[in-house]
Amino acid sequence: MVDEDGVLSPGQMGEFSLISRFFKNQALTKPSTHLGIGDDCALLSVPEGFDLAVTTDTMVENVHFFAGADAKQLGHKLLAVNLSDLASMGARPLSVTLALTLPKADENWLAAFSQGLLGLAGRHSVDLVGGDTTCGPLTLTVQALGLVPHGKALKRSAAKVGDFIYMTGVLGDAGLGLKIKQGYPCASPDQALQRFNQPDPQVDAGVALLDVANACIDLSDGLAGDLGHILEQSQVGASLVYESLPLSNAVRTYINDTGDWAMPLTAGDDYELCFTVSPEKADQLSINCTKIGVIEAAPGLRLYKSGIIQPLITKSYEHFS
Ligand code: ADP
Ligand code: MG
């Protein structure tokens, strides 16, 4: 029995019927998946010649998303942020597990959430092979597994002095989406909101960068901070040219209106890839991307705006700080 809000009363849908109703029906597509949902573990095999790339990301209500956020968009975004981590290493996604902590078994919420998550999973042929379901404050976790040819994964630590710096897509749309949610009056908000709510993980781009890029990272916390991770781990520095950053018309209008020119560099959630390529390999790039700077020996990140170096806070968002 379901009440008017679609919330099942206690005892109506327990943990196990919830799992089989909303998560177990997805067809398993990968030959490497030998056993999916239903036993104590899933069983997978890693084909010869590949490394298994493993990542996990959690989204907590009131930390990563607003209370009452659209459940279908949450399901999409939870998977997208994990696939984006695989993409940044050049790994092709294989399968995922899903740990759900829910305050209640709300049938409408679960139907929408699973639609968002399994819809994106289907588009990338990702098998949902297991998980955990518990009652508590709304917390959503995916662990994603992917395959990358042995020894070929793109690491943060592999940038070389002289590499050009590139990024896919446009910068700051998701940051603008957040500003719109917080009340900024944008005349054409659709693209920014779409990119904030339902980012598109750059899986094909990541795979296409294998054997071409040196270092790569996905833009989750803002370009300045994320590129900062590459610089730190590669023990190099960089110069960026502000005028070369790919910005949408809506973001350009926001900057003209507010003067907040740093927003695209510091706002997170874009889930584009930022990567470095040696000049000799630049003509091997087969994906749409924009050159935004160059790796240099002198440590630190220098941003040139109108030819003048601007101070830039490169610290990403950190929990507990
Ligand atoms: P166990 O008690 O052995 O941890 P569970 O009872 O938690 O197993 O889960 C039963 C089965 O359902 C397992 O195969 C588990 O991987 C799967 N499962 C549990 N929750 C989810 C979920 N949210 N999404 C997908 N699979 C799930
Ligand atoms: Mg369990």
Side-chain angles (χ1 to χ4, degrees):
M1 283 294 289
V2 180
D3 71 16
E4 312 89 84
D5 300 326
V7 179
L8 284 147
S9 34
Q12 293 298 325
M13 180 173 59
E15 182 187 334
F16 301 113
S17 51
L18 182 163
I19 295 163
S20 55
R21 241 180 100 187
F22 294 105
F23 300 108
K24 210 177 170 173
N25 294 329
Q26 188 220 23
L28 300 176
T29 61
K30 296 289 192 206
S32 55
T33 306
H34 302 302
L35 187 62
I37 294 172
D39 213 315
D40 288 311
C41 297
L43 295 173
L44 315 169
S45 60
V46 178
E48 180 102 27
F50 286 85
D51 291 335
L52 187 64
V54 183
T55 183
T56 189
D57 257 315
T58 292
M59 291 177 19
V60 181
E61 186 176 53
N62 295 318
V63 178
H64 300 90
F65 57 90
F66 297 109
D70 182 273
K72 188 173 175 190
Q73 291 175 351
L74 283 180
H76 175 108
K77 188 162 181 174
L78 177 66
L79 181 58
V81 303
N82 279 278
L83 298 188
S84 178
D85 279 328
L86 292 181
S88 74
M89 309 278 298
R92 177 75 66 194
L94 188 67
S95 52
V96 294
T97 61
L98 171 67
L100 289 179
T101 301
L102 308 170
K104 59 192 177 195
D106 179 335
E107 189 179 24
N108 293 338
W109 190 95
L110 278 159
F113 175 84
S114 64
Q115 226 181 62
L117 188 138
L118 294 178
L120 183 64
R123 290 197 285 287
H124 288 278
S125 306
V126 175
D127 287 348
L128 174 62
V129 297
D132 200 24
T133 306
T134 52
C135 184
L138 186 59
T139 306
L140 314 168
T141 300
V142 156
Q143 180 187 52
L145 308 172
L147 294 178
V148 59
H150 177 63
K152 300 268 185 187
L154 305 169
K155 296 185 193 144
R156 296 177 178 186
S157 56
K160 301 274 177 302
V161 172
D163 281 2
F164 297 145
I165 305 169
Y166 296 84
M167 63 168 288
T168 59
V170 290
L171 194 63
D173 268 17
L176 177 60
L178 178 61
K179 300 276 182 199
I180 292 167
K181 290 206 160 220
Q182 292 167 335
Y184 169 73
C186 178
S188 44
D190 293 357
Q191 180 178 320
L193 283 173
Q194 165 70 16
R195 289 176 44 87
F196 177 76
N197 290 323
Q198 293 183 279
D200 188 18
Q202 297 300 305
V203 171
D204 290 333
V207 173
L209 289 174
L210 292 173
D211 290 320
V212 180
N214 283 332
C216 186
I217 193 167
D218 69 319
L219 297 178
S220 55
D221 298 331
L223 174 66
D226 290 329
L227 177 57
H229 293 311
I230 287 186
L231 302 185
E232 210 169 283
Q233 294 198 25
S234 300
Q235 298 185 291
V236 293
S239 286
L240 288 181
V241 178
Y242 188 79
E243 289 73 19
S244 66
L245 296 178
L247 306 179
S248 66
N249 288 335
V251 166
R252 288 179 195 279
T253 303
Y254 166 83
I255 292 168
N256 286 336
D257 284 355
T258 62
D260 184 10
W261 59 264
M263 183 280 279
L265 289 147
T266 53
D269 272 341
D270 278 320
Y271 297 102
E272 297 294 343
L273 299 181
C274 174
F275 54 95
T276 80
V277 179
S278 76
E280 303 81 67
K281 285 197 172 176
D283 62 353
Q284 292 176 34
L285 276 171
S286 60
I287 59 168
N288 280 325
C289 57
T290 306
K291 185 171 149 192
I292 59 174
V294 63
I295 297 291
E296 296 167 342
L301 180 58
R302 290 159 289 281
L303 175 72
Y304 286 86
K305 186 168 179 291
S306 311
I308 297 163
I309 294 186
Q310 300 286 331
L312 191 61
I313 299 159
T314 57
K315 211 168 138 48
S316 300
Y317 178 79
E318 276 188 57
H319 295 272
F320 306 109
S321 63

